[in-house]
Amino acid sequence: QVRLVESGGGLAQAGGSRRLSCAASGGTFSSATMAWFRQAPGKEREFVAAISWNGVSTYYADSVKGRFTISRDNAKNTVYLQMNSLKPEDTAVYYCAANLKLGSSKYTPSGYIYWGQGTQVTVSS
């Protein structure tokens, strides 16, 4: 039914750039907060960035601020994550999340209803 599908992952060199996409289907997402999380091997899933329903408000983890940019195109039901100045520590599986729960923190995985399957991003030094 409701699906979020990430794409755009792959291998990149340190200092390079990649753009991730998350396509939503099977529901209405134009009014929903959407976010990106990532999980490196042996580590907990961590917040990367979030964007409000109208794209006016954006939020970033300190580790990616100034390097990553989140955006959305509601006409296409798609959210993007532009990643610049990549570092080896950015290596992780990146997940798209949607529909922030009422009263939940946007910075924690438990705050979201829907999730994608993840896309691997590997950054070499």
Side-chain angles (χ1 to χ4, degrees):
Q1 180 61 280
V2 176
R3 295 188 67 203
L4 300 178
V5 180
E6 302 96 335
S7 62
L11 181 64
Q13 291 187 311
S17 299
R18 291 198 72 88
R19 188 181 73 162
L20 305 183
S21 298
C22 174
S25 63
T28 301
F29 298 92
S30 61
S31 63
T33 296
M34 300 188 71
W36 288 95
F37 287 77
R38 67 186 183 186
Q39 188 166 20
K43 297 183 179 180
E44 295 183 345
R45 190 169 300 186
E46 66 174 358
F47 173 81
V48 176
I51 187 167
S52 63
W53 69 272
N54 59 4
V56 173
S57 300
T58 56
Y59 312 86
Y60 297 95
D62 289 340
S63 59
V64 306
K65 193 173 300 181
R67 299 189 299 120
F68 291 9
T69 302
I70 188 171
S71 62
R72 68 191 298 168
D73 185 341
N74 289 340
K76 296 182 178 180
N77 288 329
T78 301
V79 63
Y80 305 95
L81 184 68
Q82 178 65 46
M83 305 185 295
N84 297 327
S85 301
L86 284 165
K87 304 175 180 179
E89 49 263 47
D90 293 320
T91 295
V93 176
Y94 284 72
Y95 297 91
C96 178
N99 287 32
L100 185 67
K101 299 175 183 177
L102 181 64
S104 298
S105 171
K106 65 177 71 66
Y107 303 108
T108 60
S110 62
Y112 295 85
I113 300 173
Y114 303 113
W115 291 86
Q117 83 289 347
T119 185
Q120 176 71 47
V121 174
T122 302
V123 184
S124 62
S125 59

